């Protein structure tokens, strides 16, 4: 298994070897910790675990690629190894997320705090690596601003059981019925399925208290309502039976949205309060509902 990490402070190679030996449960003599620019003749190439490190510019000091051979019996997930390493060597460790974007790394401190960190890489020939924002205060990076990272929210996985059920119904249609769907209708079905999923994620997030971030940007909220707008146009392109099936699932998502929102009497979402009626293009009802409390409020 390969681990790719960054450290705020650079440890002594011997300390790094001791820590990895304890975490991966192998003898210290089976740990090869080496500078990537060092003498290859001094490497222990047969070691069970290799840690090749480089010193980096920016507010991080050290990057490392750790490789454990298949014969190493204990190979914890990257998050677990990073947390144990941070505790043992006394400096925060950053490791990449499993989802995009790569810029939003996980950061774990020696005290056990786990948060997200925006990691920027310069485009220089010798790039620097700088943590430019974190979602929780990190003592070892006192000058880094604490703020929400919208890119993290966008990539969060959200279950959409109603959309999944609709997709399964379409996939299970008899071959004769599927063959009657024109290419344009098939494309419209693909699009409305995607939009239904995006729409369903909104009430599902509200249902779960906007976890794990506990926050949701207003511009993302409006973007999702735009998908709901677009559904209406594509829906008219579906064959009658498929349209009725889709409408059944759409109504269920709409009902869930109504249940989890309140009347937006101040037009916070629609942002059209005070616009003269003669200039007001009335938006659909979903633009005049909002969560309570509003998840974009600090």
């Amino acid at each position: 298994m390969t681990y790719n990490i960054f450290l705020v402070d650079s440890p002594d190679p011997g300390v790094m070897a001791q820590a990895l030996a304890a975490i991966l449960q192998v003898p210290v003599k089976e740990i090869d910790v080496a500078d990537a620019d060092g003498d290859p003749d001094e490497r222990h190439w047969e070691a069970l675990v290799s840690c090749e490190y480089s010193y980096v510019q920016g507010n991080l000091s050290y990057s490392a690629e750790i490789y454990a051979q298949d014969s190493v019996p204990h190979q914890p997930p990257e998050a677990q190894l990073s947390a144990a390493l941070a505790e043992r060597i006394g400096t925060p460790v950053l490791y990449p997320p499993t989802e995009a974007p790569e810029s939003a790394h996980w950061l774990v401190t020696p005290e056990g705090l786990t948060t997200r960190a925006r990691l920027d890489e310069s485009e220089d020939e010798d790039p620097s690596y700088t943590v430019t924002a974190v979602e929780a205060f990190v003592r070892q990076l006192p000058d880094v601003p604490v703020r929400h990272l919208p890119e993290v929210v966008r990539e969060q996985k959200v279950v959409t059981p109603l959309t999944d059920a609709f997709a399964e119904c379409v996939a299970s249609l008899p071959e004769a019925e599927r063959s009657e769907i024109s290419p344009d209708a098939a494309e419209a079905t693909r699009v409305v399925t995607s939009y239904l999923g995006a729409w369903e994620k909104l009430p599902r997030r509200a249902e779960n208290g906007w976890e794990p971030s506990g926050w949701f940007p207003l511009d993302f909220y409006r973007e999702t309502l735009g998908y709901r707008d677009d559904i209406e146009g594509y829906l008219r392109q579906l064959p009658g039976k498929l349209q009725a099936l889709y409408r059944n699932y759409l109504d269920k998502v709409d009902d869930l949205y109504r249940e989890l929102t309140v009347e937006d009497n101040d037009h916070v979402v629609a942002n059209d309060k005070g616009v003269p009626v003669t200039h007001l293009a009335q938006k659909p009802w979903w633009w005049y509902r909002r969560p309570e409390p509003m998840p974009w409020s600090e």
Side-chain angles (χ1 to χ4, degrees):
M1 183 169 179
T2 301
Y3 305 88
N4 292 285
I5 60 173
F6 288 91
L7 279 65
V8 172
D9 297 309
S10 53
D12 177 84
V15 172
M16 190 68 165
Q18 290 281 352
L20 290 174
I23 296 167
L24 297 173
Q25 300 176 12
V26 297
V28 175
K29 65 180 181 180
E30 291 295 341
I31 306 287
D32 175 50
V33 178
D35 189 329
D37 297 323
D39 185 351
D41 292 335
E42 296 182 3
R43 298 287 301 271
H44 177 16
W45 295 104
E46 293 76 29
L48 293 177
V49 177
S50 65
C51 173
E52 190 172 275
Y53 64 86
S54 300
Y55 296 104
V56 299
Q57 301 297 316
N59 56 7
L60 301 179
S61 301
Y62 184 104
S63 69
E65 180 178 277
I66 302 164
Y67 174 70
Q69 294 191 32
D70 292 341
S71 55
V72 175
H74 181 63
Q75 299 190 33
E78 204 155 31
Q80 186 177 329
L81 178 134
S82 298
L85 190 60
E87 181 181 9
R88 286 182 175 275
I89 64 179
T91 191
V93 175
L94 286 85
Y95 59 96
T98 55
E99 75 284 356
E102 281 291 315
S103 62
H105 272 51
W106 287 100
L107 182 151
V108 59
T109 70
E111 299 80 18
L113 168 71
T114 299
T115 188
R116 299 302 290 266
R118 182 180 293 150
L119 179 61
D120 288 350
E121 177 183 354
S122 72
E123 296 181 358
D124 304 327
E125 184 176 343
D126 186 15
S128 62
Y129 295 89
T130 305
V131 176
T132 58
V134 288
E135 288 199 321
F137 178 75
V138 177
R139 178 177 57 81
Q140 296 85 351
L141 295 168
D143 297 328
V144 176
V146 178
R147 59 170 62 110
H148 291 297
L149 303 183
E151 63 268 35
V152 173
V153 174
R154 188 178 289 281
E155 295 299 329
Q156 287 168 351
K157 304 301 180 186
V158 180
V159 296
T160 54
L162 292 171
T163 304
D164 294 345
F166 170 73
E168 289 173 9
C169 287
V170 173
S172 62
L173 287 174
E175 179 60 33
E177 291 186 25
R178 277 186 286 147
S179 64
E180 293 176 357
I181 300 175
S182 70
D184 288 346
E187 175 60 15
T189 302
R190 185 193 66 78
V191 172
V192 294
T193 303
S194 174
Y195 285 178
L196 182 63
W199 175 228
E200 184 179 357
K201 286 179 182 180
L202 197 59
R204 297 298 178 190
R205 289 179 188 273
E207 194 174 41
N208 293 318
W210 310 96
E211 292 297 333
S213 295
W215 173 79
F216 195 76
L218 178 55
D219 56 338
F220 286 11
Y221 194 93
R222 290 171 175 155
E223 178 183 303
T224 305
L225 298 184
Y227 292 134
R228 179 63 183 86
D229 293 345
D230 293 340
I231 284 174
E232 297 300 320
Y234 282 101
L235 188 54
R236 290 191 289 271
Q237 301 177 36
L238 302 188
K241 184 174 181 179
L242 203 54
Q243 189 177 131
L245 177 65
Y246 185 89
R247 178 65 70 179
N248 177 53
Y249 285 98
L250 178 61
D251 288 347
K252 291 178 181 179
V253 178
D254 285 350
D255 288 345
L256 186 61
Y257 177 72
R258 285 191 184 91
E259 179 185 336
L260 294 166
T261 55
V262 299
E263 289 288 340
D264 185 12
N265 296 319
D266 293 326
H267 295 205
V268 173
V269 175
N271 196 30
D272 60 9
K273 190 113 178 194
V275 177
V277 175
T278 54
H279 295 83
L280 182 62
Q282 181 70 24
K283 295 179 179 178
W285 63 266
W286 46 85
W287 283 90
Y288 297 99
R289 298 191 66 82
R290 62 168 176 80
E292 181 61 45
M294 292 178 282
W296 46 82
S297 301
E298 294 294 340

